């Protein structure tokens, strides 16, 4: 009996775990939808800023700005975006691996690095590897808010303008599609110079709308570059949030499926154990009866 | 042009998090960097820098509701042939503005010491925003 009972107990605990993973999958699905909606809603802002930038580049205003100037990298900043919680497959470990590669590269080139990490998982992983971190954020969950991201971005802008950093890389999980997210390293500073609108959509469109600029194209450029940097940084946070939920959804789905398989296997073994036990008992009784006959 | 049946312009307010307004309006009053500016249909296209202040939108005739008021803090406006797009980092609808809160913020800024040129400049900027906020809140009621 002992073996059958042990199997039954295991089966029950696997069932409980499956209940939990199934619930987590559903929660992740709901959160993913919300995060995705936010990410789509935020796209408009970026697109419109890009359109204005194109227009400014189109009129040939002197596109020179401290944020666009590329300097040799002697001091670099790295921002790593991970999750606060685990149970989401390779989401966190991929980011940690990617950031370690980047940090290793800076170290071999003798570049001073300023490391900032968001998410408890990334913080503990980098701490374990003995990497000093200047900033740690744990306040970003599945709904990053612009008001919370903006101060971080402004600090980077100030540091870049003051020459304290020459480059900013963000390591995060880019959301490409629901079945594809990849850990990437993206350089956000210096900004890429805006391309004139004519390059992509033909020169006819450029002539159709002639804008006046108040107070001047240069002054607008001065304002719009930081804004477009902030919106790109915000997009990184949004992408990371969406990807985390997708990763958790997929991980929990496969965990639930796996638990289902395990339960099937355990049931089969339990039934076999029970059957052989019954057979054994019958054999014993029959043996007893045979012994009494003699 | 294409929109002959409408007499107004399309007015869109976009913030980094979402598009908070997209309606057709008769006229829009914008807080440009150097003062309010009104825009109605047929305005010459321009791109301008915004200061802190109130955006007033008069909806098209026939649309329900009175004029709408928002507080916008910096950003840009793009006026096209048939559309006004306000791109700002922060836009607060008029009914969510609180005059008391804005005043308290202004008091706090005034009493806090600012040492050095940069700090003083920053404080002046913050005070300007708080004052504009208080003004908009007073108008919203």
């Amino acid at each position: 009996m002992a073996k059958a009972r042990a199997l039954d107990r295991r089966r029950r605990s696997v069932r409980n775990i499956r209940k939990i993973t199934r619930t987590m999958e559903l929660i992740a699905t709901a959160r993913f939808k919300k995060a995705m909606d936010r990410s789509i809603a935020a796209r408009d802002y970026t697109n419109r800023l890009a359109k204005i930038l194109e227009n400014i580049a189109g009129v040939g205003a002197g596109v020179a700005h401290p944020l666009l100037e590329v300097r040799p990298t002697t001091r670099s900043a790295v921002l790593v975006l991970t999750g606060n919680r685990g149970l989401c497959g390779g989401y966190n470990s991929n980011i940690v691996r990617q950031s370690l590669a980047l940090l290793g590269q800076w170290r071999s080139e003798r570049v001073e690095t300023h490391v900032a990490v968001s998410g408890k998982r990334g913080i503990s992983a980098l701490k374990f590897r003995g990497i000093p971190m200047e900033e740690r954020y744990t306040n970003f969950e599945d709904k990053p808010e612009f008001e919370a991201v903006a101060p971080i971005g402004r600090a980077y802008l100030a540091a870049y303008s003051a020459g304290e950093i020459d480059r900013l890389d963000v390591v995060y999980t880019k959301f490409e599609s629901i079945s594809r997210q990849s850990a990437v390293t993206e350089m956000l500073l210096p900004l890429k110079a805006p391309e004139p609108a004519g390059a992509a959509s033909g020169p006819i469109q450029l002539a159709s709308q002639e804008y006046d600029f108040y107070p001047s194209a240069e002054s607008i450029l001065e304002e719009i570059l930081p804004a477009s940097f902030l919106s790109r940084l915000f997009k990184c946070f949004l992408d990371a949030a969406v990807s985390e939920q997708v990763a958790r959804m997929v991980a929990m789905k496969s965990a639930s499926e796996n638990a289902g398989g395990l339960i099937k296997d355990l049931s089969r073994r339990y039934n076999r154990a029970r059957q052989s036990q019954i057979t054994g008992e019958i054999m014993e009784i029959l043996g007893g009866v045979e012994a009494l006959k003699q | 042009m294409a929109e002959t049946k409408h007499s107004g312009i399309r007015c869109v307010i976009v913030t980094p998090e979402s598009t908070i307004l997209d309606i057709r309006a008769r006229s829009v009053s914008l807080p440009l960097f150097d003062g309010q500016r009104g825009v109605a249909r047929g305005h010459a296209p321009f791109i301008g820098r915004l200061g802190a202040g109130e955006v007033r939108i008069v909806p098209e005739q026939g649309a329900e509701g009175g004029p709408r008021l928002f507080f916008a803090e910096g950003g840009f406006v793009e006026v096209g042939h048939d559309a006004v797009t306000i791109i700002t980092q922060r836009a607060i609808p008029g009914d969510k503005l609180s005059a008391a809160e804005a005043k308290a913020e202004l008091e706090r800024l005034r009493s806090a010491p600012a040492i050095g040129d940069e700090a003083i400049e920053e404080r002046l900027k913050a005070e300007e925003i708080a004052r504009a906020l208080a003004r908009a809140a007073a108008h919203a009621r």
Side-chain angles (χ1 to χ4, degrees), chain A residues 82-97 121-122:
Chain A
T82 62
N84 271 340
R85 286 174 303 147
L87 289 181
C88 45
Y91 174 78
N92 288 318
S93 52
N94 284 344
I95 292 289
V96 169
R97 203 173 313 131
R121 290 280 146 168

Side-chain angles (χ1 to χ4, degrees), chain A residues 44 146 154 211-212 214 219, chain B residues 16-17 19 47 49 78 89:
Chain A
D44 207 21
F146 186 75
R154 290 202 187 99
Y211 287 99
D212 277 345
Y214 297 108
S219 153
Chain B
E17 288 188 357
T19 303
I47 292 173
R49 230 174 77 192
E78 183 198 347
Q89 287 185 7

Side-chain angles (χ1 to χ4, degrees), chain A residues 123-233:
Chain A
I123 290 171
S124 61
L126 292 188
K127 199 202 266 167
F128 176 72
R129 285 168 181 83
I131 287 163
M133 284 170 275
E134 271 79 9
E135 300 286 346
R136 296 153 198 229
Y137 311 105
T138 52
N139 54 332
F140 295 104
E141 290 280 347
D142 54 326
K143 282 194 286 258
E145 275 169 13
F146 186 75
E147 297 277 313
V149 176
I152 300 173
R154 290 202 187 99
Y156 279 125
L157 285 175
Y160 190 84
S161 308
E164 284 159 20
I165 54 171
D166 301 313
R167 188 187 160 119
L168 166 67
D169 289 283
V170 180
V171 184
Y172 73 107
T173 309
K174 197 182 178 86
F175 179 80
E176 283 156 30
S177 74
I178 187 153
S179 56
R180 217 180 130 74
Q181 304 91 37
S182 45
V184 293
T185 305
E186 214 171 89
M187 182 180 81
L188 287 196
L189 285 176
L191 286 169
K192 282 190 208 86
E195 305 254 324
S201 48
I204 311 115
Q205 215 199 344
L206 189 66
S208 69
Q209 280 212 336
E210 281 289 329
Y211 287 99
D212 277 345
F213 295 99
Y214 297 108
S216 67
E218 285 80 10
S219 153
I220 287 175
L221 190 68
E222 215 162 89
E223 281 279 319
I224 210 165
L225 287 176
S228 97
F229 163 73
L230 288 182
S231 86
R232 285 184 62 190
L233 184 69

